[in-house]
Amino acid sequence: TQLLEQSPQFLSIQEGENLTVYCNSSSVFSSLQWYRQEPGEGPVLLVTVVTGGEVKKLKRLTFQFGDARKDSSLHITAAQPGDTGLYLCAGESRDDKIIFGKGTRLHILP
Amino acid sequence: DAGVIQSPRHEVTEMGQEVTLRCKPISGHNSLFWYRQTMMRGLELLIYFNNNVPIDDSGMPEDRFSAKMPNASFSTLKIQPSEPRDSAVYFCASGAFYEQYFGPGTRLTVT
């Protein structure tokens, strides 16, 4: 069974701090997505990474896909209260399956 | 542009009743996905359609669950009979595997 393990499960930090959350698997993925979900809403796509080693930036968010395409990280610089939410990673496997991690619940304290 | 539309937003029903959840995907999107989200299991793919045809229903938990997509602009997820363990938020999404647009979800409570 393919799994995506996200860590940490919960993270509460002060506004202005930096943080990194992780998405790990023993399986190789064709692509990997990061979503953010706020309470009462559906997940919203932040980024898709496809190439091993790929780095994408979205303002203060930096996403990296592992060289072997088995893992990914999301780094947030100078976190703001608006970054609060559930961050989900999702992988598209080679056999056309889509798998979501259980997410990292991030809370930025003002 | 309207996003993915789901109805109802909330559904409370009694055990044994039939429940039908509805979804209107974004116009032009060829794929539609149904998910279930719980605290314990996270977000799970139940079934997805491509060009209105069910491609993979391996995530459908049991025969009580069925999904249809009669045309490109409408899909339903039906649970019959419903059970308390079906209580969850059900999401519909459209787009592609690598770029999905989610609806606001239907919160189902089965008592």
Side-chain angles (χ1 to χ4, degrees), chain A residues 31 33 35 37 40-43 45 48 86 88 92 96-98 100 102 105, chain B residues 9 35 37 39-41 43 45 48 56 58 91 97-100 102-104:
Chain A
S31 69
Q33 294 79 47
Y35 291 82
Q37 184 178 18
E41 300 181 8
L45 180 67
T48 295
L86 177 66
L88 296 163
E92 178 188 2
D96 293 336
K97 301 287 186 186
I98 183 97
F100 275 80
K102 290 189 177 180
R105 196 166 295 278
Chain B
R9 290 297 309 275
Y35 291 89
Q37 187 175 41
M39 289 294 290
M40 286 293 294
R41 300 174 68 90
L43 196 62
L45 178 65
Y48 80 93
D56 184 358
S58 60
F91 287 102
F97 256 12
Y98 54 84
E99 188 174 344
Q100 296 185 36
F102 283 77

Side-chain angles (χ1 to χ4, degrees), chain B residues 28-67:
Chain B
H29 283 184
N30 294 330
S31 296
L32 182 141
F33 308 82
W34 281 102
Y35 291 89
R36 176 172 68 178
Q37 187 175 41
T38 62
M39 289 294 290
M40 286 293 294
R41 300 174 68 90
L43 196 62
E44 301 174 282
L45 178 65
L46 300 177
I47 185 171
Y48 80 93
F49 296 83
N50 195 35
N51 293 322
N52 312 339
V53 176
I55 302 300
D56 184 358
D57 65 355
S58 60
M60 296 286 261
E62 36 193 288
D63 292 345
R64 298 184 296 107
F65 286 68
S66 62

Side-chain angles (χ1 to χ4, degrees), chain A:
Chain A
T1 303
Q2 295 170 317
L3 290 173
L4 276 171
E5 303 280 352
Q6 290 193 244
S7 61
Q9 281 186 279
F10 303 95
L11 184 59
S12 183
I13 64 170
Q14 291 292 137
E15 181 178 1
E17 293 184 0
N18 302 332
L19 66 106
T20 302
V21 298
Y22 301 92
C23 175
N24 295 303
S25 177
S26 58
S27 303
V28 175
F29 292 97
S30 303
S31 69
L32 193 139
Q33 294 79 47
W34 284 92
Y35 291 82
R36 180 169 64 211
Q37 184 178 18
E38 299 189 22
E41 300 181 8
V44 175
L45 180 67
L46 298 174
V47 77
T48 295
V49 286
V50 178
T51 306
E54 183 177 3
V55 177
K56 282 193 173 180
K57 292 192 174 184
L58 186 66
K59 296 184 181 178
R60 295 175 294 100
L61 277 60
T62 302
F63 305 85
Q64 183 159 11
F65 201 11
D67 291 341
R69 293 186 295 157
K70 294 182 179 181
D71 52 79
S72 181
S73 63
L74 160 57
H75 181 79
I76 301 179
T77 303
Q80 298 179 1
D83 297 327
T84 292
L86 177 66
Y87 287 80
L88 296 163
C89 66
E92 178 188 2
S93 67
R94 289 174 166 172
D95 58 351
D96 293 336
K97 301 287 186 186
I98 183 97
I99 300 159
F100 275 80
K102 290 189 177 180
T104 292
R105 196 166 295 278
L106 177 63
H107 187 206
I108 308 301
L109 302 166

